[in-house]
Amino acid sequence: MVWRGGQGWYGRMLAAAVGVTAVAAATSVWTAQAGPVERPGARAGAPAPSSSAAGTHSQGPAGVPVSAVIAHASDLGARGVNITIDDGPDPVWTPRVLQVLRDNGVKATFCMVGTQAQAHPDLVKAVVAAGHRLCDHTVSHDTTMDKKPEAYQSQQILDAERMITKASGGVRPMYYRAPGGAFTPFSRQLAASHGMRPLGWNVDSKDFERPGTNAVVATVQHEIANGPTVLFHDAGGDRSQTVAALREVLPWLKQQGYSFGFPVR
C-alpha cells in the first residue's frame, strides 16, 4: 500500500460536481452536489446544501433511502460535531485513538481501508463493539480513482465494503469516503445504492502532515466554524500527534458547547 504524505495528500478535494449521470443503463437521474473545496491554502467549504430534487436518494439494502449527495452535517444539528478517523485500522494507533475516544465518551466514524480491515479484523470488531460507525474508504486508498474507469471505481468500493463487513463480523459500512475526496457522480451513486452515504469533511485537521500537536489543535479550533465534520487519521504513519491532539480537542469542543454525533444519513 502506498501512503502519500505532505502538503498535497489531502489537498485535492473535489471542487464541484454538479450534473446528471445515467448509471448501469438505468433511467433514474440524480443530482451531484458540491462537496467542500479542499485546496492547499484554502479554507474548507461550508456544508453542501441539502437537495430535495427527485432522484437524490437511492434505496439501500436495508430498504432505507440513502442520499447520493455528500454528507457534511451532523445528526445532532448545529451544535453537533462528527469526529471521523481515516485510513486504518492500524495495530499501533487505532487502539490509542479508541482509548482517547473512550476516555472522553465520544463516538466516531472510522473510514477504513479494505486491506487494513482485512489484516486487522480484531480492531474492526473493537471499533464496532465500542459503538463507533464504519465507513468504506476503498481497497487501496487510490487518490486518483476519480480519473479511473467506472469498473475500477466499483471494484475499489465494493471489494472494500465486503472486506470491512467480513472483518467486522457482519456489520456493514454506513458511509463511503473517497480517498482525498476523489468522488465521482458514479461512485456516489454506487455507494448510495449499497446503503453507504457519501461522506465529506469540513475541517481537515492536517494531522496527516504531522505539523505538531499544537498546530493540529489550533487548526480544529480555528476551523470548526466551517462545519461539523472533522478529519483525523489513525494510520499512514506516526499518529502520536493525532492522539495527543484528540486529548486536547475533545474536551475543548465540549467546553464550547458542542456534542458529538454522527454524519447525517
Side-chain angles (χ1 to χ4, degrees):
M1 182 181 306
V2 176
W3 300 97
R4 298 185 180 181
Q7 177 73 18
W9 198 92
Y10 268 107
R12 194 183 50 77
M13 188 61 183
L14 190 64
V18 182
V20 295
T21 184
V23 178
T27 57
S28 63
V29 176
W30 65 283
T31 301
Q33 293 200 356
V37 177
E38 298 290 340
R39 302 185 304 274
R43 297 179 65 207
S50 60
S51 173
S52 58
T56 59
H57 291 78
S58 295
Q59 200 74 9
V64 178
V66 175
S67 175
V69 176
I70 297 174
H72 301 86
S74 173
D75 61 5
L76 293 183
R79 300 300 291 177
V81 170
N82 308 320
I83 300 298
T84 64
I85 313 290
D86 279 22
D87 299 351
D90 179 272
V92 174
W93 301 110
T94 301
R96 300 183 191 187
V97 169
L98 285 171
Q99 185 61 54
V100 175
L101 295 171
R102 185 180 306 114
D103 292 344
N104 287 274
V106 173
K107 305 302 181 187
T109 300
F110 283 76
C111 301
M112 296 186 174
V113 174
T115 51
Q116 294 291 103
Q118 187 176 56
H120 307 289
D122 55 328
L123 294 177
V124 183
K125 292 180 175 68
V127 167
V128 171
H132 307 292
R133 289 186 179 178
L134 300 176
C135 172
D136 180 333
H137 204 32
T138 73
V139 171
S140 59
H141 203 282
D142 181 355
T143 59
T144 67
M145 65 180 290
D146 57 330
K147 297 177 172 60
K148 302 292 179 63
E150 290 181 353
Y152 176 84
Q153 297 178 47
S154 179
Q155 174 265 323
Q156 284 284 309
I157 295 167
L158 300 185
D159 283 2
E161 179 192 16
R162 287 189 285 271
M163 289 175 175
I164 295 166
T165 301
K166 181 177 179 180
S168 71
V171 178
R172 299 178 64 255
M174 298 179 70
Y175 308 94
Y176 164 65
R177 174 174 276 169
F183 290 99
T184 66
F186 172 81
S187 67
R188 293 182 187 187
Q189 177 68 16
L190 177 67
S193 72
H194 281 252
M196 298 182 290
R197 178 77 186 261
L199 176 59
W201 64 83
N202 307 101
V203 180
D204 182 351
S205 71
K206 305 296 184 183
D207 66 328
F208 196 86
E209 299 169 16
R210 297 195 289 275
T213 297
N214 291 341
V216 175
V217 172
T219 295
V220 176
Q221 291 176 339
H222 294 157
E223 299 294 335
I224 193 63
N226 290 337
T229 302
V230 187
L231 172 64
F232 292 98
H233 297 84
D234 62 343
D238 183 345
R239 301 272 68 93
S240 56
Q241 292 180 15
T242 301
V243 174
L246 283 168
R247 288 199 186 101
E248 295 186 38
V249 164
L250 299 180
W252 180 84
L253 287 167
K254 289 182 181 180
Q255 291 166 6
Q256 306 309 304
Y258 290 102
S259 299
F260 297 94
F262 293 110
V264 293
R265 288 265 297 161

